[in-house]
Amino acid sequence: MDDEHVSETTQTPQTLPLIPLDGVVIFPYTVVTVPLNEEVEAAAHAAMKENQLALVVAYRRDAPFDAPLALRVHRVGVVARIEQIGRLPNGVTGMVVRGLVRAELLEQTQEHPYPRFRYVERHDRFERTEELEQLMTEVHAAIDAVLELRPGIPQEIRNFVRSINDPGHLADNTGYSPDYTFEERQDLLETFDVIERLRKVLAFYRKQLALMDIQARIRQEVQDAAARQQREFYLRQQLRAIQKELGEDDKEADELAELREKLEAANLTPAARKEAERELHRLSRMNSASPEYQMVRTYLEWMAELPWNKTTGAPIDIAYTRQVLDEDHYGLHKIKERILEYLAVRQRRQMLADEHERVREPILAFVGPPGVGKTSLGQSIARALGRQFARMSLGGVRDEAELRGFRRTYIGSQPGRLIQELRRAGTSDPVILLDEIDKLGHDYRGDPAAALLEVLDPEQNDTFTDHYLNVPFDLSKVLFIATANTMDTVPPALRDRMEVIELSGYTEDEKVHIAQRHLIPKQLRANGLRPEEVVFEEEALRVIINDYTREAGVRNLERQIGAVLRKVTRRIVEEGNAETIAPVIIDGAFVRSALGRPRFFNEAKERIDQPGVATGLVWTPAGGDIVFVEASVVEGNRELRLTGQLGDVMRESAEAALTYVRSRAHTLGIDPRFFDTHAVHIHVPGGAVPKDGPSAGITMATALASAATGRLVRDDVAMTGEITLRGRVLPVGGIKEKVLGAHRAGIRTIILPRRNEVDLDDLPPDVREALTFVPVETLDEVLAAALLPHPAATISNLFGTTPQGGTVSEGTPRTEVTTSSRV
């Protein structure tokens, strides 16, 4: 043999008849029977007459049908000996051929009556090396492993493959595997290199082996699952037979009968009854050990326990409702009147409604600072109406399914919180409080606020469909009450479905009465004290309200009262017998010793001690308050610097205020060139808190005018209002909260826009009597009411020399102004 394993030829080209086959590849060393058509039958007979030899090649599948024959056949085939031509069992003419050697076509030498081609033979040439022997061993092992896994393969075939010792013969004999595609067979035939041909065979059989392993594993898993199901079925049948012998066979039937009775007693709607009967029919045909049995049963139990048509509400009694509201809440007169009006309208609508007309419940929304009684108002309404009360906290809810429920396709699915609260209430007309509706979130799981649109729409909520129940449930009988600290974060579509009732903060006197009537008795019980053991003086309450709390509601007040009473409890326990101890008197001194140093101070009167200080009013979600703005004027360029985390609107107000003061410099007694040679820096303390809104306009203008003229701002005056470049004062919002905050801070005079006078009607009478209100239309009126008379020092003294005759060095701040306001 040759030293090389690359197939080459030294033979001169010869010619033989060409027999093209469609979809059939003939390999050397093999005997194959193939059918013949009329096109190639002539070439087969010609070959039989010559020397029984012919070229056998396969048609190309990608060649056009009308192309020349040389382009429609592959360039590599075999020289084959035609052993026999005759009729096959199906009646078609066929021939038996034996592949001898690979042949590479050169050119066509004859076309009629049959094609002839010139060719060269491609013999296998190789050298037996250790690598070749190892490769043959691996190929034998791979083929044997595949044949072992393939069912129905005779042992003779496996023995035949093991006996093949020629590498080319071994590779070519695998070409007839049914797993080869036509393209893979032709590629194997065209691989002249014996080692490369063996590598392709090895890769092919390893892929087949991996595929057959996966198929065998899947087949085994399917068989195991089927066997397990058959075993479980057989065991269940045995269990049922045993239960029947023990008399336990009727237990499942009893459970179904009990469930059917519950469904009949639930007074379901027609749609719900139809769905329940369908599921109950399914349940009766299921095996109790099936997982789906428990899912269907849980669903039917939910259907049976829901209050489809059960109501508990008593007839509306306006007098009794007023009594309940007065017992539970002090003050809030306008809010109570609004609630009574709402209930009176609802009562009349029920009386006048046609029996077929559905009475729709409007949606109330209580909006106000924390601790002013929004939640307790809902509880009082439920008590006055004789209805059950349920509270749903919506703060941080981000998944729509928490409200609408989870579909039954999921494991552990359940109805949404609305349906759960209705089942817990046991009635279809409870009062449901949607708490913190302004703090709803949303993410990729959906928008809960969008789900509430249907719930809170009186025209739609009578057909609310929970994803779990998948049948309509009537929510129109439910009285929904929403609470929020602000409506700014509530989507407009949701806000449009609610009737907003705003709650403001309490005055000092209201807090005193609330503490005496509600908070102190509650904290006495919470801290283990009897009423006769403690005397809580009014002075002590006012000290707590003014020095230790600064809020619109009463939550911190209750917390501080509890802290004081804990000191009392400890004293009584340490001193021994409580029966012989005199009542503990809680006065202002006792409060200060118990709570420590005061936490809040009257900043308005302490800090306005130099020119340029003005006090503004601010609105926050927690209620109204006062705030300051500080300004420094130094020699420099015409710069206006604003700090304190001010928003864009507030910055624009500062620029408008500065422009107005400059335009009125002559009237105010300011050198017109003063602002050309000085820089103004306005700062609002509390830099960690963002501030914005237009209502700080007149406060900033007053502060700038005070700084430039050297005139002090009255320390008992606070102001709010938007300004224009013409000096007009425009109305702003939140007047009630701002005035109450100023009243708590010790302010006695309020400057406000004249068009906001109508908002003063919302104030408590005692607050209106304690304060002086100055309605204004122009900034000139503001300055006239807020600024004190001019000091002895002149403007030249203020910015050139001091009243004592000394000079002020360049760059030293002349005055400092503090103002603040937010809307």
Side-chain angles (χ1 to χ4, degrees):
M1 290 190 182
D2 231 305
D3 290 341
E4 298 181 355
H5 58 264
V6 178
S7 297
E8 294 183 356
T9 181
T10 56
Q11 300 167 341
T12 57
Q14 308 175 50
T15 63
L16 280 176
L18 181 72
I19 301 177
L21 301 177
D22 187 12
V24 180
V25 178
I26 306 297
F27 286 91
Y29 318 112
T30 59
V31 179
V32 183
T33 300
V34 294
L36 296 175
N37 54 30
E38 297 179 356
E39 182 181 357
V40 300
E41 190 174 348
H45 286 289
M48 287 291 293
K49 293 179 180 178
E50 292 185 14
N51 52 5
Q52 295 184 315
L53 297 179
L55 294 172
V56 181
V57 297
Y59 279 114
R60 301 178 65 94
R61 292 190 171 180
D62 57 349
F65 181 76
D66 55 353
L69 181 62
L71 299 179
R72 287 191 292 121
V73 297
H74 285 279
R75 304 306 298 174
V76 177
V78 294
V79 176
R81 176 180 292 110
I82 301 176
E83 302 284 353
Q84 183 180 355
I85 296 178
R87 294 285 180 180
L88 298 178
N90 58 2
V92 179
T93 303
M95 65 177 179
V96 179
V97 296
R98 179 186 298 273
L100 300 178
V101 66
R102 282 173 171 77
E104 184 176 1
L105 303 185
L106 297 178
E107 70 272 351
Q108 186 173 358
T109 59
Q110 176 181 315
E111 184 174 356
H112 297 289
Y114 55 86
R116 290 183 75 92
F117 273 77
R118 190 183 302 276
Y119 70 96
V120 293
E121 296 179 353
R122 294 291 190 177
H123 294 275
D124 292 337
R125 301 181 182 275
F126 56 89
E127 179 182 0
R128 289 193 174 272
T129 61
E130 185 176 348
E131 177 188 2
L132 179 61
E133 295 296 335
Q134 180 65 29
L135 185 59
M136 286 190 64
T137 301
E138 293 180 5
V139 171
H140 270 120
I143 296 175
D144 194 63
V146 171
L147 294 178
E148 184 177 0
L149 291 177
R150 196 180 299 279
I153 300 297
Q155 184 64 33
E156 291 78 7
I157 295 180
R158 298 175 62 183
N159 293 336
F160 170 74
V161 174
R162 292 171 183 170
S163 65
I164 299 176
N165 194 35
D166 183 271
H169 189 188
L170 177 63
D172 290 340
N173 269 275
T174 66
Y176 292 107
S177 170
D179 299 316
Y180 273 112
T181 63
F182 171 79
E183 289 75 12
E184 288 173 333
R185 290 192 181 97
Q186 185 63 36
D187 178 65
L188 193 64
L189 181 66
E190 294 179 359
T191 304
F192 301 139
D193 190 303
V194 176
I195 291 182
E196 182 64 24
R197 200 186 312 159
L198 284 174
R199 287 174 179 162
K200 289 184 178 181
V201 171
L202 180 60
F204 173 79
Y205 274 93
R206 282 179 174 174
K207 182 178 71 173
Q208 290 298 315
L209 185 61
L211 180 61
M212 294 178 72
D213 284 339
I214 295 174
Q215 292 174 343
R217 186 169 64 253
I218 294 174
R219 190 183 307 111
Q220 186 63 38
E221 291 177 356
V222 172
Q223 291 176 354
D224 292 345
R228 184 168 57 253
Q229 290 178 355
Q230 293 176 357
R231 178 174 176 271
E232 290 177 357
F233 176 77
Y234 176 72
L235 292 176
R236 288 195 193 102
Q237 295 300 322
Q238 285 187 329
L239 179 61
R240 184 165 296 180
I242 294 172
Q243 289 176 343
K244 185 176 181 180
E245 291 295 329
L246 295 176
E248 298 178 357
D249 188 41
D250 296 333
K251 182 178 179 181
E252 183 177 333
D254 293 341
E255 292 178 352
L256 291 177
E258 181 182 358
L259 192 56
R260 181 175 284 104
E261 291 178 1
K262 288 183 179 180
L263 290 171
E264 291 176 354
N267 196 13
L268 303 178
T269 61
R273 180 173 299 278
K274 181 179 180 181
E275 182 69 15
E277 290 176 352
R278 187 178 69 87
E279 293 296 326
L280 191 62
H281 180 65
R282 286 184 57 212
L283 187 68
S284 63
R285 295 181 299 169
M286 290 183 185
N287 193 302
S288 60
S290 172
E292 191 175 2
Y293 180 91
Q294 297 301 326
M295 294 175 60
V296 176
R297 179 177 176 178
T298 302
Y299 172 78
L300 290 174
E301 287 177 350
W302 270 103
M303 296 281 282
E305 294 175 4
L306 285 177
W308 294 91
N309 290 288
K310 181 182 178 181
T311 59
T312 58
I316 298 176
D317 187 341
I318 298 298
Y320 176 69
T321 303
R322 182 187 297 274
Q323 177 186 344
V324 170
L325 292 176
D326 289 339
E327 288 176 357
D328 296 345
H329 299 85
Y330 180 83
L332 304 177
H333 301 294
K334 287 187 175 293
I335 306 302
K336 293 177 183 178
E337 293 298 324
R338 185 79 170 274
I339 294 174
L340 293 174
E341 292 169 1
Y342 155 74
L343 294 177
V345 171
R346 180 178 176 275
Q347 182 185 31
R348 291 289 296 175
R349 287 178 58 189
Q350 287 181 343
M351 293 173 55
L352 301 177
D354 185 83
E355 60 179 359
H356 300 294
E357 180 183 355
R358 186 182 299 275
V359 178
R360 308 285 184 176
E361 298 273 15
I363 311 301
L364 297 180
F366 295 146
V367 181
V372 295
K374 299 184 294 294
T375 303
S376 59
L377 273 174
Q379 294 173 332
S380 298
I381 293 175
R383 185 161 74 93
L385 296 179
R387 298 190 181 190
Q388 296 294 323
F389 178 79
R391 176 180 171 272
M392 286 178 52
S393 179
L394 300 180
V397 174
R398 295 178 175 273
D399 191 353
E400 178 192 2
E402 288 194 39
L403 300 179
R404 282 189 172 274
F406 300 84
R407 300 189 185 278
R408 281 188 288 158
T409 53
Y410 301 106
I411 300 297
S413 57
Q414 59 182 352
R417 294 178 59 184
L418 282 167
I419 298 298
Q420 293 181 31
E421 293 297 339
L422 285 169
R423 185 182 75 163
R424 193 174 293 114
T427 174
S428 61
D429 63 341
V431 175
I432 295 183
L433 184 75
L434 304 175
D435 208 7
E436 309 292 353
I437 198 171
D438 57 325
K439 298 175 179 60
L440 279 172
H442 66 276
D443 57 13
Y444 65 93
R445 292 170 290 186
D447 186 359
L452 284 177
L453 294 179
E454 179 185 1
V455 175
L456 299 184
D457 191 345
E459 300 297 329
Q460 301 180 32
N461 60 11
D462 59 322
T463 56
F464 172 74
T465 302
D466 185 272
H467 288 162
Y468 181 82
L469 298 180
N470 202 28
V471 292
F473 192 95
D474 187 2
L475 297 180
S476 63
K477 302 175 185 176
V478 178
L479 174 57
F480 288 103
I481 298 177
T483 69
N485 296 128
T486 175
M487 296 298 286
D488 295 341
T489 57
V490 179
L494 185 59
R495 186 165 58 243
D496 182 63
R497 285 165 166 78
M498 296 184 290
E499 182 179 349
V500 178
I501 300 178
E502 296 185 356
L503 285 77
S504 303
Y506 295 111
T507 65
E508 180 179 335
D509 290 338
E510 288 175 335
K511 289 183 179 181
V512 170
H513 284 87
I514 292 172
Q516 292 173 340
R517 292 177 51 179
H518 301 285
L519 304 184
I520 292 178
K522 179 180 177 182
Q523 287 300 317
L524 286 173
R525 293 189 299 270
N527 290 280
L529 295 171
R530 292 193 296 266
E532 59 270 16
E533 294 176 330
V534 178
V535 176
F536 217 120
E537 294 186 351
E538 182 177 324
E539 174 203 359
L541 289 174
R542 295 188 183 275
V543 169
I544 296 176
I545 293 170
N546 292 319
D547 295 346
Y548 295 94
T549 64
R550 185 65 61 85
E551 59 177 343
V554 293
R555 284 181 181 165
N556 284 332
L557 174 59
E558 181 180 4
R559 193 175 294 117
Q560 298 302 330
I561 291 174
V564 171
L565 291 179
R566 284 195 296 273
K567 304 289 185 182
V568 175
T569 303
R570 178 183 173 184
R571 175 186 294 184
I572 292 175
V573 173
E574 289 177 347
E575 290 183 1
N577 188 5
E579 301 294 337
T580 61
I581 299 176
V584 178
I585 299 176
I586 300 177
D587 54 10
F590 188 95
V591 168
R592 294 187 179 92
S593 65
L595 299 181
R597 62 179 180 82
R599 301 179 184 177
F600 299 96
F601 301 91
N602 194 335
E603 293 184 331
K605 293 186 179 180
E606 288 184 3
R607 299 184 63 178
I608 302 181
D609 55 359
Q610 55 183 317
V613 178
T615 307
L617 300 179
V618 59
W619 180 94
T620 69
D625 205 345
I626 60 173
V627 71
F628 300 99
V629 173
E630 299 176 349
S632 293
V633 181
V634 296
E635 293 184 2
N637 56 6
R638 300 171 56 182
E639 178 186 4
L640 172 62
R641 189 174 182 184
L642 303 172
T643 57
Q645 230 187 132
L646 308 184
D648 293 338
V649 177
M650 200 166 180
R651 288 176 173 272
E652 293 172 357
S653 297
E655 294 174 359
L658 178 59
T659 301
Y660 175 78
V661 172
R662 292 184 63 186
S663 68
R664 304 285 291 173
H666 185 271
T667 305
L668 295 173
I670 304 173
D671 185 352
R673 293 172 297 177
F674 171 75
F675 288 104
D676 294 334
T677 59
H678 291 80
V680 178
H681 181 184
I682 298 178
H683 173 72
V684 180
V689 180
K691 311 169 189 68
D692 203 1
S695 68
I698 66 172
T699 316
M700 290 181 173
T702 303
L704 289 173
S706 175
T709 61
R711 298 169 60 183
L712 290 174
V713 180
R714 291 172 54 186
D715 59 7
D716 63 339
V717 171
M719 61 197 74
T720 182
E722 181 181 356
I723 64 167
T724 68
L725 291 178
R726 298 178 297 160
R728 304 282 297 177
V729 180
L730 302 182
V732 293
I735 293 297
K736 181 179 179 181
E737 290 81 4
K738 292 177 181 178
V739 172
L740 291 178
H743 182 261
R744 287 193 297 267
I747 298 296
R748 291 296 173 261
T749 302
I750 305 293
I751 300 176
L752 74 164
R754 186 174 299 276
R755 287 162 62 182
N756 282 121
E757 277 188 287
V758 294
D759 297 320
L760 300 180
D761 295 337
D762 297 334
L763 295 174
D766 58 330
V767 174
R768 294 195 61 177
E769 293 175 1
L771 297 176
T772 301
F773 298 94
V774 181
V776 296
E777 291 184 351
T778 64
L779 195 55
D780 290 340
E781 299 176 64
V782 175
L783 298 179
L787 296 179
L788 293 174
H790 201 287
T794 62
I795 297 299
S796 60
N797 286 337
L798 185 62
F799 292 103
T801 61
T802 65
Q804 292 76 14
T807 61
V808 180
S809 61
E810 181 178 355
T812 304
R814 274 23 179 204
T815 58
E816 187 167 317
V817 186
T818 305
T819 318
S820 172
S821 179
R822 272 181 302 173
V823 174

